[in-house]
């Protein structure tokens, strides 16, 4: 009598009970959960091809079976009663099936819980324009956006439309009404949903990711016509974000794009996560650029102003901060160790000099 293939259900329970963010299931390894940024192995036997094939069959929607067979990958959502909702990616690697589950939160965390700088609340409550949240994969962009949406929902009587792939945080109406649309489940793609959103009387539009020129163009147009647009990009800082947006367009369009961006942009929040010195998980490190007269001029004509990072460093009056300025404060407050701060600093040597000059380190 052969053993039954393993079910994914106990592992999803383990993910939820450990407070982890992701579950990885691949052949030849025990399932692992990501907790505070680190992958931890569950104490079960390594998965076999039959195990992961059974797991995919358990969760893959029927309408994606043919796509997965043909393309060897699929993205979808999966809900487990009493446990939660998950974003799932199924894939094939070296001929065997694997899965990654991302736990979807119900309700957003507060600004205080996340350690977000207060200036992000100011940007969230802007009546119109473009606010960008950027950073590498796993840097907390979705969590920050959810907190910003929740703040608007708590203070403004507006119509909020979100376009996500997939929905990762579920919101309930408070002062605002919120329509959350999931790519492929509720709409064809980001660009189609953005165009449709303009006919839904929106005040605030949240775009899960600006992936292509059509989405960027539609987001800029929406911001230009009086809506507040919140969006994410996989860029490392404010300067990289501006360059990436401009580079989406052909050379003959870039001058006009710079002018539009300078006019519509309200701010850029760029994020990294760093381990807490007390071992209690990770904390946010953020660079925040607020669009002022000087930053707008730097967007239009980079040669007319100092580098964006220097304008941010000098922008304390507008509540701006660089990564290294935030790291300085976190080390000074004992939240982050010196070694961890230096490891992710933009200018490690300069940060060390500043810390020594302030007497924080010897």
């Amino acid at each position: 009598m052969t053993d039954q293939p393993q079910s994914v259900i106990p592992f999803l329970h383990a993910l939820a009970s450990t407070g982890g963010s992701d579950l990885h299931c691949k052949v030849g390894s025990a399932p692992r959960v990501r907790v505070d940024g680190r992958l931890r192995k569950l104490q079960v036997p390594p998965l076999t091809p039959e195990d992961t094939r059974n797991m995919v069959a358990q969760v893959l929607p029927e309408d994606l079976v043919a796509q997965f067979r043909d393309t060897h990958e699929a993205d979808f959502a999966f809900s487990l009663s009493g446990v939660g909702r998950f974003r799932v990616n199924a894939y094939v690697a070296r001929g065997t099936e694997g899965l990654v589950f991302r736990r979807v939160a119900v309700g957003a965390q507060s600004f205080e819980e996340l350690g977000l700088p207060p200036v992000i609340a100011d940007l969230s409550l802007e009546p119109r324009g473009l606010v960008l949240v950027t950073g590498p994969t796993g840097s907390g962009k979705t969590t920050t956006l959810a907190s910003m949406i929740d703040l608007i929902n708590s203070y403004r009587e507006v119509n909020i439309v979100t376009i996500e792939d997939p929905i990762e945080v579920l919101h309930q109406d408070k002062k605002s009404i919120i329509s959350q649309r999931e790519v492929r489940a509720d709409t064809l793609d980001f660009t189609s949903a953005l165009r449709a959103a303009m006919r839904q009387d929106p005040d605030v539009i949240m775009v899960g990711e600006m992936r292509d020129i059509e989405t960027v163009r539609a987001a800029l147009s929406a911001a230009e016509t009086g809506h507040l647009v919140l969006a994410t990009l996989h860029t490392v800082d404010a300067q990289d974000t501006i360059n990436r947006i401009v580079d989406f367009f052909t050379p003959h369009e870039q001058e006009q794009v710079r002018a539009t961006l300078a006019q519509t942009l309200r701010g850029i929040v760029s994020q990294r996560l760093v381990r807490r010195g007390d071992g209690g998980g990770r904390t946010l490190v953020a660079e925040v650029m607020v669009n002022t007269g000087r930053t707008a001029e730097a967007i239009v004509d980079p040669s007319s102003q100092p580098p964006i990072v220097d304008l941010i460093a000098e922008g304390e009056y507008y509540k701006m901060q660089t990564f290294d300025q935030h790291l300085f404060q976190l080390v000074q407050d004992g939240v982050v160790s010196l070694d961890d701060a230096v490891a992710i600093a933009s200018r490690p040597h300069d940060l060390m000099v500043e810390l020594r000059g302030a007497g924080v380190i010897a």
Side-chain angles (χ1 to χ4, degrees):
M1 181 176 176
T2 59
D3 293 336
Q4 291 292 316
Q6 295 193 69
S7 166
V8 75
I9 303 304
F11 306 138
L12 292 175
H13 279 274
L15 174 64
S17 65
T18 59
S21 60
D22 301 87
L23 168 69
H24 293 255
C25 298
K26 66 178 290 287
V27 170
S29 175
R32 301 180 188 227
V33 295
R34 186 176 296 278
V35 181
D36 295 333
R38 296 183 176 182
L39 286 175
R40 298 181 180 177
K41 187 184 298 185
L42 298 179
Q43 298 306 305
V44 297
L47 299 176
T48 66
E50 292 75 21
D51 292 330
T52 59
R53 190 179 306 120
N54 181 61
M55 292 175 183
V56 170
Q58 283 183 292
V59 300
L60 185 66
E62 187 175 341
D63 62 344
L64 292 181
V65 170
Q67 174 192 312
F68 184 65
R69 183 185 62 239
D70 295 340
T71 67
H72 290 173
E73 55 192 4
D75 291 296
F76 53 93
F78 176 72
S79 295
L80 182 59
S81 179
V83 178
R85 192 168 188 269
F86 305 88
R87 182 185 79 186
V88 191
N89 175 263
Y91 63 92
V92 174
R94 296 181 63 188
T96 61
E97 296 170 12
L99 304 102
V100 179
F101 294 79
R102 166 67 57 88
R103 193 156 59 103
V104 175
V106 178
Q109 293 177 267
S110 70
F111 273 55
E112 292 74 19
E113 289 172 319
L114 297 176
L116 295 175
V119 65
I120 300 178
D122 299 338
L123 293 173
S124 305
L125 297 176
E126 285 279 351
R128 64 189 64 82
L130 178 65
V131 178
L132 300 171
V133 179
T134 82
T137 300
S139 60
K141 298 186 297 295
T142 298
T143 305
T144 295
L145 269 183
S147 185
M148 295 169 75
I149 290 293
D150 187 63
L151 186 74
I152 298 168
N153 191 16
S154 300
Y155 284 96
R156 296 183 63 196
E157 295 175 325
V158 294
N159 179 26
I160 303 170
V161 177
T162 77
I163 307 162
E164 305 169 70
D165 183 19
I167 295 167
E168 293 194 48
V169 177
L170 301 176
H171 295 276
Q172 302 295 325
D173 293 352
K174 296 179 183 178
K175 282 198 169 183
S176 300
I177 56 172
I178 303 182
S179 298
Q180 293 185 259
R181 307 195 68 202
E182 185 165 289
V183 172
R184 287 185 299 276
D186 303 314
T187 184
L188 181 63
D189 52 40
F190 281 107
T191 307
S192 301
L194 257 171
R195 288 172 180 156
M198 299 302 289
R199 299 188 293 273
Q200 295 161 9
D201 186 33
D203 299 286
V204 179
I205 303 171
M206 191 272 272
V207 184
E209 185 181 347
M210 298 204 299
R211 296 178 176 174
D212 51 48
I213 186 172
E214 290 82 9
T215 306
V216 172
R217 197 186 300 276
L220 286 172
S221 177
E224 201 173 16
T225 53
H227 305 84
L228 177 64
V229 179
L230 310 177
T232 73
L233 274 171
H234 288 283
T235 47
V236 297
D237 56 28
Q239 184 65 71
D240 186 36
T241 301
I242 293 163
N243 293 343
R244 178 71 60 83
I245 291 173
V246 172
D247 287 346
F248 272 116
F249 295 84
T250 59
H252 78 273
E253 295 178 288
Q254 291 181 358
E255 183 177 347
Q256 180 57 49
V257 169
R258 284 186 176 276
T260 300
L261 190 58
Q263 179 185 4
T264 59
L265 185 66
R266 294 296 176 266
I268 300 173
V269 180
S270 301
Q271 301 190 175
R272 300 170 189 173
L273 293 176
V274 61
R275 287 183 299 178
R276 296 181 61 90
D278 59 8
R282 295 180 294 172
T283 193
L284 177 80
V285 184
E287 175 189 86
V288 183
M289 188 203 87
V290 177
N291 196 15
T292 65
R294 292 188 73 192
T295 55
E297 289 176 13
I299 293 170
V300 172
D301 181 8
S303 65
S304 71
Q305 295 290 330
I308 289 287
V309 67
D310 292 343
L311 295 178
I312 295 171
E314 298 165 5
E316 184 179 359
Y317 175 81
Y318 298 98
K319 304 179 184 178
M320 290 194 256
Q321 64 181 32
T322 66
F323 281 117
D324 291 359
Q325 285 172 329
H326 196 186
L327 283 169
F328 178 95
Q329 191 63 51
L330 291 171
V331 173
Q332 188 174 49
D333 293 344
V335 177
V336 172
S337 73
L338 175 63
D339 288 346
D340 286 334
V342 169
I344 71 160
S346 299
R347 298 172 176 172
H349 175 74
D350 292 351
L351 176 61
M352 292 281 287
V353 170
E354 290 288 332
L355 288 166
R356 284 198 183 95
V360 178
I361 60 173

